Amino acid sequence: MRAKMRLTDNTTVGFVGVGNMGQPMVSNLVKAGWRVAIYDTDMDRTAAFASRIGCGFVTSAAELGDACDVVILMLPDGKIVRRVVLGADGSDSLLPGLSQGATIIDMSSSAPTGTRELGAELDAKGIDMVDAPVSGGVKGAVAGTLAIMVGGSERAAQDIDPILAAMGRRFHVGPLGTGHAVKVLNNYVSAAGLAATAEALLVARRFGVETETLIDVLNASTGRNNSTENKFKQYVLNEAYNSGFSLDLMVKDLTLAMEVADACGVEAQLGHSCLNLWREAQSWTGRNADHTELARFVFKDDAGSVSPDAQA
Ligand code: NAD
């Protein structure tokens, strides 16, 4: 029988992927008193971050697997997670160092089906896997108020709960993979809200309503959503476009949401047109765009202006 992972005062939590989200999440783990060791392919940035916040730093995934019984991954997608966990053609990976009873927690927004496949392969090696993707953005990561969607066995979810508690509010949503399914469906709803708001702003502006006025009214009315409340004044109308969540990652999440819909035999007409709109915005904006630049794409035909108000 598999040895159960036990969290003790000596537990070192491994963390792979210390980017926009990973950094504040690691900071909160350290603040909560966890001993943390981190690994990221961007070694210079990661070493500097580790010395700034006072956590461990290793230079390979294998070393991290060796040092930790529980490893969190916060990487761009599930394919990268799979490669870092299992390796490909002998590449550096966590697996050689991991002991029986270790737990892998994938907090990235990964493909739900890929998560189930990886979980089954790890299970055969005596390693537990839990998916625990998050919502709340960089702000929520900094504040430690992320919504964490946990997929996995009841026991595994309970075992790791004290670690996740340092980063936000946990929702155990079902067996392995369901956390990732809920996450991409959440981002579909969020992406649709942002797109609908951008289109409504453009129409309102052309009809003679100031954009700020429309946002204020939406926020007091039934059209209110996370984008009207937390994105348009903060990142769009001021043309800052620096929310910390890339447009590429949103397109990835929408693509995954529509893959889940297809697999479940749901037509999702709105979802597929939403995905097409976001893909067009991705080609138009180019690489490294912030996801709020979807609005810039929607506004683009207004005499070359980036914001509807700018050409008033
Ligand atoms: P990011 O690009 O800022 O960070 C990813 C990190 O992974 C980088 O530091 C990169 O160097 C590292 N990395 C890439 N490949 C690696 C490898 N093979 N080995 C080790 N490190 C590697 O991305 P992010 O915005 O922090 O997002 C991470 C995940 O969280 C994504 O799945 C994203 O969809 C999800 N997410 C992001 C947000 C957000 O607001 N940014 C919100 C919720 C969920």
Side-chain angles (χ1 to χ4, degrees), residues 72-88:
I72 295 172
L73 298 104
M74 193 56 175
L75 291 164
D77 62 44
K79 287 186 184 138
I80 299 177
V81 168
R82 185 183 172 83
R83 203 165 58 238
V84 171
V85 174
L86 298 181

Side-chain angles (χ1 to χ4, degrees), residues 16-22 39-42 45-46 74-77 80 83-84 107-110 134-138 146 183 187 243-246 249-250 252-253:
V16 188
V18 195
N20 288 332
M21 294 293 285
Y39 167 67
D40 191 295
T41 40
D42 189 334
R45 175 167 49 78
T46 308
M74 193 56 175
L75 291 164
D77 62 44
I80 299 177
R83 203 165 58 238
V84 171
M107 300 191 77
S108 331
S109 306
S110 300
V134 304
S135 179
V138 173
L146 293 167
K183 166 63 192 174
N187 275 26
S243 75
F245 181 51
S246 75
L249 288 178
M250 184 64 108
K252 173 207 59 166
D253 291 344

Side-chain angles (χ1 to χ4, degrees), residues 17 31 52 71 86 140 160 163 174 189 205 217 254 291 297 303:
K31 274 186 216 146
R52 203 162 61 241
V71 180
L86 298 181
I160 59 161
I163 296 174
V189 175
R205 178 76 196 108
V217 175
L254 271 170
H291 80 288
F297 169 73

